[in-house]
Amino acid sequence: MDKFLLIGKSLQEIEKFMVDNNQSKFRAKQVYNWLYLKSVNDFDKMTDLSIQTRELLKEKAQICSISLKEKQVSKDSTMKFLFELGDGNCVEAVLMRFDNRANLTACISTQVGCAMGCTFCATAKLGFNRNLTASEIIQQIFLIQAHTGLKVTNIVYMGQGEPLLNFDNFIDSVKMFREQFQVGARRITVSTCGIIPAINKLADMDFQSTLAISLHAPDNDIRKEIMPISKKYQFDGLLDTLKSYTQKTGRRVTVEYVLIGGVNDSQEDAKKLAYAISKLKSNVNLIVYNPHEKSEYKKPSKENVMKFKYILEASGKKVTIRLERGADIDAACGQLSLKTKNK
Ligand code: SAH
């Protein structure tokens, strides 16, 4: 019989499990606190439980179904974690601290591989294997906390996979973060390559976290060259969907734009982009392309990056340039390709 998987379960579900196993109900709260407040990954460390209860838990329950296989630390102290799932597949997650801030941001995966085929992204080269369950999504955070002793304060769904194509598990995992891990909705961001029907669903369900859109192009011609999804969900339709999203939710979206040298980084592109998103309630986050061995693209020049930024700012947008984190350990955006696993 499968063991009862604890991470992801609500207090009520753990209570039911305890009662079904002839334990008193209040033991559940102790287990719950060990898991979600203290990130303890070992029944023997749950010292306020009797030995008999701990033995029962070991026999009938498991804390996680995934395990940490490898951890790498970058020069800038970014950490990359390789997790092995129960079926032997692997996914990666990244933990980043930004200077002068207490925030600790975890970037987590939602799928094994990815089906979107963006030409500049290393994860795309893996192809798609399967969706993660909601529990597997949040176990990444649990294990990061258990192994570092640190509390994750912000979560970005920007690891491997397309979160909105694993919609139900993604939504369930957001609920679990909010309820079990007590992470505020405003500290959670989901990034999507633009799955129009799923964005419409989010708009209708009072999604209180931040939606980021990997736009990466000023029009459909350039976008469909680098993001095949743009053949199905086209640029103009996507912008209309985002506009109605901001109207319905009253929330601003983040437009992500990877600057790739010679592909989408000209001043002409910046002007076109500024025009295209002028009526979209949004901030812009520019990402300098991170090179990797699986693609031939080049970084943009520093000058092009600054000019691009100025043009958008002059149009009235708030623009940030995403700090590059963890590039020396292939933990930067678009570099998550399980290199360590395949070695
Ligand atoms: N599938 C979702 C979540 C991935 S988020 C999405 O597309 O938004 C990862 C972000 O890094 C995306 O914006 C992606 O387009 C970007 N990215 C991919 N490859 C990159 C690279 N080589 N350099 C910089 N950013 C990259």
Side-chain angles (χ1 to χ4, degrees):
M1 204 189 78
D2 278 350
K3 287 188 172 183
F4 182 73
L5 176 59
L6 282 164
I7 288 296
K9 296 293 190 303
S10 65
L11 180 59
Q12 293 70 28
E13 287 168 316
I14 301 176
E15 279 172 353
K16 178 167 185 313
F17 169 79
M18 291 306 246
V19 172
D20 288 349
N21 284 284
N22 306 316
Q23 299 288 310
S24 72
K25 195 173 153 188
F26 87 97
R27 294 271 168 241
K29 182 74 185 174
Q30 291 170 300
V31 173
Y32 187 86
N33 287 346
W34 283 113
L35 297 175
Y36 296 118
L37 295 182
K38 301 184 189 142
S39 298
V40 163
N41 189 20
D42 181 351
F43 291 122
D44 282 328
K45 296 204 174 117
M46 302 186 177
T47 46
D48 56 1
L49 300 176
S50 69
I51 306 254
Q52 177 251 338
T53 303
R54 284 186 239 164
E55 289 306 317
L56 171 102
L57 285 169
K58 280 191 226 168
E59 189 195 330
K60 299 253 168 97
Q62 62 182 141
I63 297 176
C64 281
S65 60
I66 79 174
S67 60
L68 178 65
K69 225 181 153 191
E70 199 178 314
K71 181 176 111 186
Q72 285 173 278
V73 184
S74 150
K75 281 185 279 191
D76 64 25
S77 83
T78 295
M79 290 180 220
K80 183 165 83 169
F81 302 84
L82 178 71
F83 294 112
E84 185 171 323
L85 311 179
D87 61 5
N89 277 309
C90 288
V91 294
E92 290 173 329
V94 179
L95 184 68
M96 298 157 276
R97 191 187 287 284
F98 294 103
D99 294 340
N100 305 324
R101 287 193 230 159
N103 291 350
L104 205 53
T105 301
C107 172
I108 53 171
S109 294
T110 53
Q111 296 183 319
V112 179
C114 185
M116 296 298 91
C118 300
T119 56
F120 48 86
C121 178
T123 303
K125 312 289 182 216
L126 297 169
F128 174 71
N129 187 305
R130 73 165 171 90
N131 283 331
L132 297 192
T133 64
S135 175
E136 286 170 332
I137 295 172
I138 67 166
Q139 286 179 49
Q140 297 169 67
I141 299 287
F142 172 78
L143 286 175
I144 288 175
Q145 295 189 157
H147 282 278
T148 60
L150 299 167
K151 165 93 178 120
V152 171
T153 61
N154 294 58
I155 293 159
V156 294
Y157 285 82
M158 296 190 187
Q160 290 161 325
E162 170 47 50
L164 297 196
L165 287 180
N166 185 10
F167 196 84
D168 293 344
N169 292 334
F170 150 66
I171 290 292
D172 284 349
S173 70
V174 171
K175 280 194 198 124
M176 291 170 183
F177 281 132
R178 293 183 54 185
E179 281 172 36
Q180 276 93 300
F181 288 89
Q182 298 281 308
V183 176
R186 302 291 145 86
R187 292 177 173 273
I188 300 175
T189 299
V190 61
S191 178
T192 177
C193 65
I195 311 297
I196 288 179
I199 297 173
N200 285 328
K201 267 209 253 177
L202 276 185
D204 287 335
M205 61 193 288
D206 192 28
F207 183 65
Q208 294 174 34
S209 298
T210 302
L211 178 67
I213 174 80
S214 292
L215 198 59
H216 304 341
D219 59 34
N220 209 55
D221 286 344
I222 298 183
R223 196 167 197 263
K224 71 182 188 330
E225 290 303 312
I226 56 178
M227 300 182 71
I229 191 68
S230 212
K231 292 178 190 144
K232 184 166 182 190
Y233 300 122
Q234 301 205 0
F235 191 85
D236 291 342
L238 178 57
L239 282 183
D240 288 343
T241 304
L242 291 168
K243 277 178 206 156
S244 81
Y245 177 90
T246 60
Q247 275 152 17
K248 270 194 191 155
T249 60
R251 302 185 54 74
R252 202 169 281 278
V253 295
T254 301
V255 170
E256 302 170 280
Y257 195 104
V258 177
L259 290 162
I260 309 174
V263 173
N264 63 358
D265 66 335
S266 72
Q267 295 181 52
E268 202 47 47
D269 295 331
K271 284 176 200 157
K272 265 199 208 162
L273 176 68
Y275 181 72
I277 61 172
S278 58
K279 296 208 169 66
L280 177 66
K281 202 173 155 199
S282 57
N283 297 325
V284 179
N285 190 212
L286 297 177
I287 311 168
V288 174
Y289 170 71
N290 291 306
H292 54 85
E293 62 196 22
K294 295 188 172 123
S295 96
E296 308 266 283
Y297 292 117
K298 295 197 171 47
K299 278 188 174 235
S301 68
K302 285 212 173 87
E303 191 186 327
N304 278 9
V305 175
M306 291 329 284
K307 281 185 181 156
F308 207 94
K309 181 169 186 265
Y310 290 147
I311 291 169
L312 284 167
E313 281 172 340
S315 80
K317 290 285 168 196
K318 186 172 159 235
V319 185
T320 48
I321 298 180
R322 190 177 294 181
L323 286 177
E324 183 195 88
R325 311 300 291 191
D328 56 326
I329 55 166
D330 290 311
C333 303
Q335 294 183 325
L336 299 182
S337 66
L338 310 176
K339 211 195 241 174
T340 27
K341 188 200 155 207
N342 299 333
K343 252 179 205 162

